[in-house]
């Protein structure tokens, strides 16, 4: 009952209650933006075409991922289709470039003023990314045949519906789409800042989590139709269940284990012992030692490897699948390889996906974890790792420890990421994408991570005011492991 008591106590604190209500109101506005169709779109025809394609088991790949992250807004081509993702993409690009461009790295170390300049650069880059993506969407919508190829649609009626999505195609429609989607993204970015400042937790992360969890009612509906159906045993009057109750029980137990493992992966840390020199307030004289530790996260990379791996598989698959067949054996093989790569339940896709995740796990750590800088900072503070000489030896030790941690964390991340693909292949759930999205992959990692961070922030308010937290023993840790 401690968890329910914690939520009850949260509304007893005026300041925290205000933050929660502000967050809920702003998130509701974001969801409303994701339901307003873009002007000039026959969203009824688009939604009908996508529903027909989904019923014929055609949709998948990048569409499934994009639709999940934007809360289903692509089905009506809403003005909020791009949501907060251009800004997230810009943050990732700037974070990577700051490791290799000296000017950006210098701004990163200049404190608050430098961070403000980096934030401004990130916003300008987000606008550029948003304009490019919105323009690409407008081109795809005007060309129904290409859109059908992107979505792996082969049904003639669905292709015909996709060709009639745009009412008046042309430059005017392109400009209107770019302006509407860019304006909506900028407004969502502003809402994200307001949630961060006046609400609970990180605004961008919360918006992404709400977009993902908005698909939960549809997942429940899909599960009900699969395991209970809506018709009679002879198939008349509705949908007949094609899954057993035993499978449902095993799936729920498996889901509980996966969520528990994801929480452990998200919160897991390797504590490196640190001896710090205590100094007096005046004169700087040392008078003793203080033992502490440096927490190194097991999942240091977060969801970055998955975010990098998915486009690197889906974009080549989409391009290769469009190669015309019948010209020569090599082109035919490339086209078949692209079709196989586009199927998320194929062994080729799963194997390459796993390899990319492991590669980018080590790549992200190599670019973001600076063992030399950490060892120098420890040396300047008079701190050291017991049994390890300060300086280069400490840097080598931290690098070796982080390599072993990354191998374990990357392996755990890999398992969580491929679970939806394995379920799709072996349980025949390829036609219920919303169900499998909650059993692993980026969706589950984001939901667990953001939920833990938000609860930790709320719990800190409760503990400061002497209220009971969400756990009976101990306190929650966020993704930082602190």
């Amino acid at each position: 009952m401690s968890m329910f008591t914690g939520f009850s106590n949260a509304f007893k604190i005026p300041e925290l209650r205000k933050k929660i209500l502000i967050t809920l109101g702003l998130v509701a506005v974001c969801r409303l933006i994701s339901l307003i169709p873009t002007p000039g779109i026959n969203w009824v025809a688009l939604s009908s075409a996508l529903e027909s394609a989904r019923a014929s088991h055609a949709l998948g790949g990048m569409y499934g991922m994009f639709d999940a992250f934007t809360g289903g807004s692509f089905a009506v081509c809403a003005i909020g289709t791009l949501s907060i993702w251009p800004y997230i993409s810009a943050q990732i690009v700037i974070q990577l470039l700051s490791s290799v461009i000296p000017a950006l790295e210098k701004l990163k170390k200049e404190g608050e003023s430098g961070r403000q300049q980096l934030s401004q650069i990130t916003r300008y880059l987000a606008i550029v990314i948003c304009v490019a993506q919105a323009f690409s969407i407008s081109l795809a919508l005007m060309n129904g045949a290409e859109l059908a190829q992107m979505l792996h649609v082969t049904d003639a009626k669905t292709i015909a519906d996709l060709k009639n999505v745009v009412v008046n195609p042309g430059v005017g429609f392109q400009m209107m789409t770019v302006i509407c989607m860019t304006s909506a993204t900028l407004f969502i970015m502003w809402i994200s800042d307001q949630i961060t400042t006046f609400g609970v937790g990180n605004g961008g992360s919360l918006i992404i989590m709400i977009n993902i969890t908005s698909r939960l009612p549809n997942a429940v509906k899909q599960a009900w139709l699969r395991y209970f159906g809506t018709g009679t045993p002879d198939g008349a009057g509705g949908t007949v269940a094609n899954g057993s109750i035993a499978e449902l029980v095993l799936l729920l137990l498996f889901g509980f284990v996966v969520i528990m493992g994801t929480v452990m992966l998200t919160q897991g840390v390797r504590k490196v012992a640190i001896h710090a020199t205590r100094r007096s307030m005046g004169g700087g004289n040392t008078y003793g030692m203080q033992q502490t530790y440096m927490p190194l996260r097991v999942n240091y990379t977060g969801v970055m490897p998955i975010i990098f791996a998915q486009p690197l598989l889906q974009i080549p698959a989409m391009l290769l699948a469009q190669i015309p067949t019948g010209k020569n054996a090599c082109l035919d093989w490339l086209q078949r390889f692209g079709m196989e790569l586009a199927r998320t339940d194929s062994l080729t896709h799963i194997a390459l996906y796993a390899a990319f995740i492991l590669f980018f796990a080590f790549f992200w750590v190599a670019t973001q974890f600076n063992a030399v800088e950490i060892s120098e900072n420890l040396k300047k503070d008079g701190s050291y790792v017991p049994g390890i000489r300060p300086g280069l030896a400490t840097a080598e030790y931290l690098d070796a420890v982080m390599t072993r941690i990354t191998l374990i964390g990357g392996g755990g991340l890999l398992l969580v990421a491929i679970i939806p693909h394995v379920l799709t292949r072996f349980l025949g759930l390829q036609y219920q994408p919303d169900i499998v999205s909650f059993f692993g992959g980026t969706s589950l990692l984001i939901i667990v991570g953001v939920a833990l961070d938000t609860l930790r922030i709320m719990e800190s308010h409760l503990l400061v005011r002497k209220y009971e937290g969400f756990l009976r023993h101990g306190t929650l840790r966020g993704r930082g492991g602190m």
Side-chain angles (χ1 to χ4, degrees):
M1 296 297 292
S2 182
M3 181 68 73
F4 297 104
T5 303
F7 282 111
S8 176
N9 291 336
F11 284 91
K12 296 178 182 178
I13 304 173
E15 180 185 354
L16 183 55
R17 181 173 65 244
K18 181 180 178 181
K19 287 179 176 289
I20 293 174
L21 294 177
I22 289 175
T23 301
L24 292 176
L26 291 176
V27 165
V29 173
C30 286
R31 290 302 304 150
L32 180 63
I33 293 173
S34 67
L35 299 176
I36 301 175
T38 301
I41 291 288
N42 185 351
W43 66 270
V44 176
L46 176 62
S47 182
S48 175
L50 294 177
E51 188 62 33
S52 299
R54 186 183 290 107
S56 63
H57 313 151
L59 292 183
M62 289 196 72
Y63 169 78
M65 177 185 69
F66 192 70
D67 192 53
F69 286 163
T70 58
S73 60
F74 186 74
V76 295
C77 193
I79 59 175
T81 294
L82 298 177
S83 188
I84 195 73
W85 282 102
Y87 183 58
I88 300 298
S89 302
Q91 285 181 320
I92 295 172
V93 171
I94 294 298
Q95 192 169 355
L96 288 173
L97 291 179
S98 63
S99 301
V100 295
I101 298 179
L104 294 178
E105 187 176 6
K106 183 180 179 181
L107 286 176
K108 194 175 180 180
K109 296 179 179 179
E110 284 184 356
E112 185 62 29
S113 62
R115 284 194 294 271
Q116 289 180 357
Q117 292 184 53
L118 274 179
S119 178
Q120 197 68 16
I121 294 172
T122 303
R123 294 175 190 280
Y124 289 137
L125 180 59
I127 294 174
V128 173
I129 294 174
C130 187
V131 169
Q133 291 179 344
F135 183 73
S136 300
I137 290 175
S138 67
L139 287 179
L141 290 171
M142 288 194 304
N143 193 328
E146 288 187 5
L147 182 61
Q149 287 184 338
M150 290 171 59
L151 300 176
H152 309 296
V153 173
T154 56
D155 180 65
K157 181 180 181 304
T158 305
I159 294 175
D161 290 339
L162 288 174
K163 291 180 179 179
N164 298 321
V165 165
V166 180
V167 179
N168 294 309
V171 177
F173 169 75
Q174 292 175 338
M175 293 180 61
M176 185 182 300
T177 302
V178 170
I179 292 173
C180 288
M181 290 189 176
T182 303
S183 301
T185 296
L186 291 176
F187 184 47
I188 292 175
M189 286 167 54
W190 179 82
I191 290 177
S192 170
D193 289 341
Q194 303 310 303
I195 293 175
T196 303
T197 305
F198 302 106
V200 179
N202 184 290
S205 298
L206 275 173
I207 291 172
I208 294 171
M209 187 189 77
I210 295 300
N211 284 340
I212 295 172
T213 53
S214 68
R215 309 296 294 167
L216 185 59
N218 198 43
V220 173
K221 177 185 175 182
Q222 290 178 2
W224 182 271
L225 293 176
R226 176 177 175 83
Y227 296 106
F228 298 101
T230 58
T232 58
D234 60 357
T239 303
V240 177
N242 57 359
S244 65
I245 300 300
E247 179 186 301
L248 175 61
V249 173
L250 290 176
L251 198 62
L252 291 175
L253 291 175
F254 179 69
F256 176 77
V257 173
V258 170
I259 292 174
M260 185 172 60
T262 305
V263 172
M264 295 173 63
L265 178 66
T266 302
Q267 291 196 295
V269 294
R270 165 70 157 85
K271 298 180 180 180
V272 177
I274 300 292
H275 281 186
T277 304
R278 288 186 177 181
R279 299 181 182 275
S280 62
M281 295 298 293
N285 297 322
T286 62
Y287 65 94
M289 301 298 296
Q290 180 183 11
Q291 185 170 353
T292 181
Y293 67 89
M294 178 191 303
L296 299 178
R297 281 185 292 160
V298 174
N299 184 25
Y300 185 85
T301 60
V303 297
M304 288 300 110
I306 301 178
I307 291 176
F308 287 145
Q310 285 174 330
L312 284 180
L313 283 177
Q314 296 298 337
I315 292 176
M318 182 178 63
L319 295 176
L320 291 174
Q322 296 181 18
I323 296 177
T325 58
K327 293 187 177 182
N328 60 63
C330 181
L331 291 179
D332 290 348
W333 181 86
L334 287 175
Q335 197 268 350
R336 288 194 303 270
F337 179 75
M339 295 295 291
E340 184 74 7
L341 198 60
R343 290 179 50 238
T344 57
D345 62 331
S346 68
L347 291 177
T348 302
H349 181 97
I350 294 174
L352 288 176
Y353 190 41
F356 275 134
I357 288 174
L358 274 181
F359 170 77
F360 282 113
F362 283 96
F363 173 79
W364 186 262
V365 171
T367 56
Q368 301 301 314
F369 183 78
N370 194 332
V372 175
E373 183 179 350
I374 294 174
S375 65
E376 289 298 324
N377 291 334
L378 289 174
K379 188 176 180 179
K380 291 177 183 177
D381 294 337
S383 304
Y384 63 93
V385 179
I388 306 296
R389 292 176 61 87
L392 182 59
T394 299
E396 292 175 349
Y397 171 77
L398 293 176
D399 187 66
V401 171
M402 200 63 202
T403 300
R404 292 193 293 268
I405 293 174
T406 303
L407 181 61
I408 297 172
L413 189 66
L414 186 153
L415 289 176
V416 174
I418 67 173
I419 283 173
H421 304 282
V422 174
L423 290 177
T424 298
R425 181 176 180 84
F426 294 103
L427 287 184
L429 293 172
Q430 61 266 40
Y431 315 136
Q432 289 86 21
D434 289 329
I435 296 178
V436 298
S437 66
F438 289 97
F439 282 88
T442 315
S443 300
L444 185 60
L445 284 165
I446 290 175
I447 291 172
V448 169
V450 176
L452 287 173
D453 286 345
T454 305
L455 290 176
R456 179 181 57 82
I457 293 171
M458 293 172 61
E459 188 179 57
S460 65
H461 284 274
L462 293 173
L463 296 178
V464 166
R465 290 160 180 81
K466 309 301 181 183
Y467 282 98
E468 184 181 353
F470 293 108
L471 299 180
R472 190 174 299 277
H473 302 288
T475 58
L476 286 170
R477 291 201 310 264
R479 282 174 287 185
M482 299 299 290

